[in-house]
Amino acid sequence: MLDLGQKKNLPIGFMDSGLGGLSVLREAVRIMPAEDFIYYGDSLHAPYGTKEQEEIRELTFDVVKKLLKQGIKGLAVACNTATSAAVRKLRSDYPELPIVGIEPAIKPAVMNHKNGRILVMATPMTIRQKKYQELLERYNNQAEIISVPCEGLMEFVERGSIDAEELNTYFQEHLTPYLSEDTETIVLGCTHYPFLKPYLKNFLGDSATRLIDGSLGTSMELKRRLGEKNLLREENRKGHVEIINSTGRQDMIDLSYRLLEMPVE
Ligand code: DGL
């Protein structure tokens, strides 16, 4: 058993089906610069968003077990799909471990709602899940909220080099049918999508549509949960980030560090 001091020195674990969770990790690094992080991207099994719940749960548990073996003091399931499929069971199997998940940022979208439409872009699996449907039910009497399943979109990030024209065609086919003059907010309900923000903004042109995601909120919640257990490190050091990718490929690791450095806005 580790004492509190030893536990404090452990890294914080992050996981995602691939590189998307890095959009959450970069916020966490920004608000907890003294912490060490270990990020596991399961690109070998990506995408999760088109698989069935049981398989996603198994894959998520496999990754979490690997992180626990390395030693972590907290866990961020930085994947909306894995969160909806597995977070409840993770919390019940590891009650001592502070665990945060991520869900599409519908609540903040509704809180800032004026009168336009809110679109939620997410994986087909996230949208099918009961957890998501319950979230919708909680808010859809306050705003018009439309779910947009985006099969195939995370792959643009995983591939590393983005073909802007191909991505525009994707938006044209998958997003345009849901867009209207009064589209007020688009919620990026998959952690891969924030990396596509500049392209999406470009696609939307001069429209005043806001793009929001849950990465900062999730990181703040993680910080709060660790603080509550007195597990945050002193501020007088600079932490480091270790990245593991299940493909074992060095180019995926290099791409991961590049994404992590990408400016948030
Ligand atoms: N990054 C994941 C999410 O937030 C999903 C991508 C996938 O389909 O694996 O939902």
Side-chain angles (χ1 to χ4, degrees):
M1 259 310 249
L2 299 178
D3 64 34
L4 188 62
Q6 291 167 316
K7 223 171 164 184
K8 239 185 209 188
N9 292 342
L10 291 174
I12 301 167
F14 265 68
M15 70 87 50
D16 178 49
S17 62
L19 311 182
L22 293 160
S23 65
V24 186
L25 179 59
R26 64 184 177 170
E27 294 287 1
V29 170
R30 206 162 58 81
I31 65 169
M32 293 180 274
E35 297 296 332
D36 293 334
F37 295 90
I38 174 163
Y39 180 93
Y40 194 105
D42 194 12
S43 298
L44 184 66
H45 300 108
Y48 280 12
T50 48
K51 294 184 166 62
E52 290 307 315
Q53 167 159 354
E54 200 39 51
E55 189 179 357
I56 299 168
R57 199 178 273 166
E58 271 170 31
L59 289 168
T60 305
F61 267 81
D62 283 352
V63 172
V64 172
K65 280 179 195 151
K66 286 186 185 125
L67 286 170
L68 284 168
K69 216 163 161 194
Q70 302 243 3
I72 52 170
K73 62 179 174 183
L75 172 72
V77 182
C79 174
N80 293 263
T81 311
T83 298
S84 52
V87 85
R88 204 170 288 168
K89 182 151 171 46
L90 280 171
R91 289 204 178 103
S92 93
D93 284 14
Y94 304 107
E96 293 303 313
L97 186 70
I99 299 176
V100 300
I102 186 163
E103 63 180 12
I106 293 178
K107 185 178 172 190
V110 170
M111 270 160 45
N112 290 306
H113 171 67
K114 302 239 160 45
N115 45 29
R117 170 184 285 189
I118 297 171
L119 299 186
V120 186
M121 296 170 72
T123 68
M125 180 58 190
T126 297
I127 292 171
R128 273 206 312 273
Q129 285 285 308
K130 190 159 160 253
K131 194 169 189 298
Y132 176 81
Q133 292 302 328
E134 284 169 0
L135 183 67
L136 263 192
E137 264 162 44
R138 220 173 307 142
Y139 295 104
N140 65 10
N141 59 348
Q142 297 173 50
E144 184 192 11
I145 308 172
I146 297 174
S147 309
V148 184
C150 292
E151 179 168 355
L153 186 54
M154 65 85 82
E155 283 83 343
F156 283 87
V157 179
E158 292 285 307
R159 261 183 252 133
S161 65
I162 291 171
D163 180 333
E165 212 169 295
E166 203 187 319
L167 188 52
N168 260 341
T169 308
Y170 183 98
F171 289 143
Q172 187 68 43
E173 281 170 10
H174 293 79
L175 192 59
T176 303
Y178 300 94
L179 284 171
S180 63
E181 293 245 309
D182 70 338
T183 303
E184 178 184 82
T185 303
I186 298 181
V187 176
L188 304 176
C190 164
T191 54
H192 282 74
Y193 304 164
F195 293 118
L196 303 174
K197 242 182 183 177
Y199 300 90
L200 183 52
K201 277 202 170 141
N202 204 24
F203 177 77
L204 294 168
D206 335 308
S207 106
T209 308
R210 285 184 318 139
L211 305 180
I212 63 166
D213 64 75
S215 51
L216 179 59
T218 300
S219 298
M220 282 166 51
E221 175 65 5
L222 178 63
K223 185 173 182 182
R224 193 187 65 76
R225 296 283 303 280
L226 290 165
E228 215 173 59
K229 292 206 164 212
N230 199 16
L231 284 173
L232 290 169
R233 297 183 71 132
E234 311 302 323
E235 293 278 329
N236 56 4
R237 74 186 287 274
K238 185 166 170 9
H240 67 86
V241 175
E242 179 188 347
I243 294 176
I244 303 171
N245 192 280
S246 54
T247 58
R249 279 167 40 197
Q250 188 57 40
D251 60 325
M252 292 302 272
I253 305 282
D254 296 343
L255 173 58
S256 300
Y257 282 110
R258 282 209 302 283
L259 290 172
L260 201 54
E261 306 274 276
M262 217 167 118
V264 172
E265 201 76 4

